[in-house]
Amino acid sequence: MRKPPDFDPFELLGVDASADAVTIDRAYKARIRFVHPDIAGEAGLDETKRLNMAREWLLDAELRGQLPRPAPSWPFRRKQSASAPPPPPRRASSSPPPPPSWQSPEPPKPPKPAWEYDPLDDDPLTFDYGSHTVGLRAFFDTIRSLSRDERARVTYSLGDEPPIFFDVFKDRLSEPLWARSRALDDAIHRVWGEREDESAPLLFPRGRVFGHGAVVANAYAQWMLLSDDIRKQSVGAGASVVEMRCRSAWEASIGHPRYGRYERQVEAFLEDAKGLSPRTAERLARSWERHFGSYVYGRPGEDWFPGAFDHADPDLVSARLAAVDASRIEPPADLHWERHNGFRCGLRLTAHVLALGGAPERGRDYLRPWRDALDDNPTFWDRARYGLPTG
């Protein structure tokens, strides 16, 4: 049995003995926001610990039953003498009775501005977004209605390009609008989190693709909310650049098949790739390592993916998702582990290029590793080049 705290949890939270869980939690939130170390510094650490302990003891029915009431060790609780006369009957009154002498009444909260957002007390899904409230709540429903393929396209639409964040606009926006922006960010992440994303595959540095589904949806929603103010404050083409970064990834992901216009070719390739023999898989890995496996060509990201530096369009989103799905294919069991990286990168590159409709025959041939892998009659020089038996 745990030892009760050396203070009265009821008094610390300002609630009576009959308070339910909702009342206790509300009282806890009202006090913790002023003494939390993030707000009050180290001076609020002890009081934060006391509030956490009080909340724990009052919300746990078993612990709450161990609290002595009344407790002689608590001077603010007065034990009525057995010889004292009973209290006179109360008269009917419309006003509530005064609180007991040992209970500190909860101080009245100051009136809350209509635009202030408190993530502890406010529900971002029902928050007031001004003239954009109806449109944003309709956008929440749009997120909920996304198909599995559309959701996957949104998740991987950015590839390894950095997403856009809106903290840079904090000092440029009014306090009401910044509060709405913060509430909208929480709302989008909550709605997106109502469903689970597809599990991410193992991705090596080359050809990596990151999942930013909630961030892409939030950027689109933030533009709906902030576009008028951003346009007023931008100079030249600044607003157009921000708009492109906010909208292009989302709009290129919605309303398209999983692999876009070349879905049939990509699906056929992925099906063939699942059945590669160890010998063919090794030829694919060696060919990719020979032509694309060096890190001397720019950044170790998607520099060898055609179209990687363009803004998101439907074909590029399809290519990025095709590369992600190709990464889910496991190498043959007999393929040496040193070739696994080349095998996966070769598949990702091929899927990416096929979803773009192929690659022109200029410069490096992006489909060459796959064609080399499928060559069932390699020449003597091919055998020597790939380290295969030449006899």
Side-chain angles (χ1 to χ4, degrees):
M1 181 179 296
R2 293 175 56 181
K3 183 180 179 181
D6 58 355
F7 58 87
D8 187 352
F10 293 95
E11 179 181 9
L12 186 64
L13 293 181
V15 297
D16 57 29
S18 62
D20 57 13
V22 175
T23 303
I24 293 170
D25 199 51
R26 186 182 297 116
Y28 168 81
K29 290 179 179 179
R31 285 158 175 76
I32 196 69
R33 61 189 298 189
F34 296 108
V35 301
H36 195 277
D38 291 345
I39 303 298
E42 294 184 2
L45 184 59
D46 292 338
E47 188 66 15
T48 298
K49 292 180 179 179
R50 285 159 52 89
L51 287 172
N52 289 337
M53 183 179 296
R55 180 175 179 270
E56 178 188 5
W57 276 79
L58 295 186
L59 291 181
D60 190 305
E62 183 177 351
L63 294 178
R64 187 168 177 173
Q66 300 177 23
L67 293 175
R69 294 190 304 273
S73 60
W74 294 337
F76 40 79
R77 289 190 185 271
R78 296 182 178 177
K79 195 171 183 178
Q80 184 177 345
S81 172
S83 59
R90 294 182 178 177
R91 297 179 180 179
S93 173
S94 58
S95 60
S101 59
W102 56 267
Q103 179 180 344
S104 300
E106 183 176 346
K109 296 182 180 180
K112 181 178 180 180
W115 50 263
E116 183 179 312
Y117 172 65
D118 185 348
L120 294 177
D121 293 335
D122 297 326
D123 183 0
L125 298 182
T126 59
F127 197 72
D128 178 18
Y129 295 103
S131 60
H132 301 282
T133 299
V134 175
L136 288 173
R137 291 180 181 171
F139 183 65
F140 298 161
D141 293 334
T142 300
I143 295 176
R144 295 186 177 100
S145 66
L146 292 179
S147 67
R148 175 177 175 272
D149 291 343
E150 287 176 325
R151 188 178 173 93
R153 287 176 64 89
V154 173
T155 297
Y156 297 107
S157 58
L158 292 180
D160 72 340
E161 298 299 322
I164 183 171
F165 297 100
F166 292 85
D167 291 346
V168 295
F169 297 104
K170 179 178 180 179
D171 297 333
R172 308 183 194 177
L173 303 175
S174 63
E175 291 188 7
L177 195 55
W178 177 243
R180 287 170 176 165
S181 176
R182 291 176 55 236
L184 181 58
D185 187 287
D186 289 346
I188 294 296
H189 280 78
R190 179 181 297 186
V191 174
W192 188 269
E194 291 175 359
R195 295 165 57 187
E196 291 187 6
D197 288 320
E198 299 177 5
S199 58
L202 175 65
L203 295 177
F204 288 87
R206 283 247 175 194
R208 61 184 182 268
V209 180
F210 300 120
H212 290 301
V215 177
V216 172
N218 179 58
Y220 189 85
Q222 294 287 349
W223 179 255
M224 296 171 61
L225 177 67
L226 307 176
S227 57
D228 293 339
D229 282 68
I230 293 177
R231 286 194 176 100
K232 291 177 183 177
Q233 300 177 25
S234 299
V235 179
S240 300
V241 174
V242 176
E243 180 180 8
M244 184 271 292
R245 294 195 64 194
C246 289
R247 299 181 56 180
S248 62
W250 174 269
E251 293 176 347
S253 304
I254 307 303
H256 301 279
R258 188 176 184 91
Y259 306 124
R261 296 181 297 164
Y262 302 98
E263 185 169 44
R264 182 173 57 82
Q265 291 90 327
V266 175
E267 288 180 343
F269 160 73
L270 294 177
E271 190 64 29
D272 291 341
K274 295 176 183 177
L276 292 183
S277 66
R279 182 169 174 269
T280 304
E282 181 167 355
R283 284 207 305 267
L284 172 66
R286 287 181 178 273
S287 181
W288 185 90
E289 291 166 0
R290 175 177 177 82
H291 297 288
F292 305 99
S294 173
Y295 282 83
V296 299
Y297 301 104
R299 60 178 182 157
E302 292 181 351
D303 57 298
W304 42 269
F305 276 177
F309 293 104
D310 301 331
H311 71 275
D313 60 34
D315 286 343
L316 185 55
V317 172
S318 302
R320 287 170 171 169
L321 182 54
V324 169
D325 287 350
S327 301
R328 305 180 194 275
I329 299 176
E330 291 296 325
D334 295 335
L335 182 65
H336 194 277
W337 65 269
E338 291 182 346
R339 304 299 178 200
H340 285 192
N341 185 16
F343 171 80
R344 287 194 171 96
C345 288
L347 292 185
R348 286 205 299 271
L349 175 60
T350 307
H352 185 107
V353 173
L354 289 177
L356 291 175
E361 294 290 338
R362 64 176 184 270
R364 288 176 293 175
D365 183 355
Y366 293 101
L367 292 177
R368 183 165 186 173
W370 182 245
R371 287 205 295 262
D372 287 346
L374 298 182
D375 184 3
D376 291 330
N377 297 301
T379 65
F380 175 87
W381 296 111
D382 287 334
R383 292 177 181 273
R385 181 177 60 181
Y386 298 136
L388 301 176
T390 57

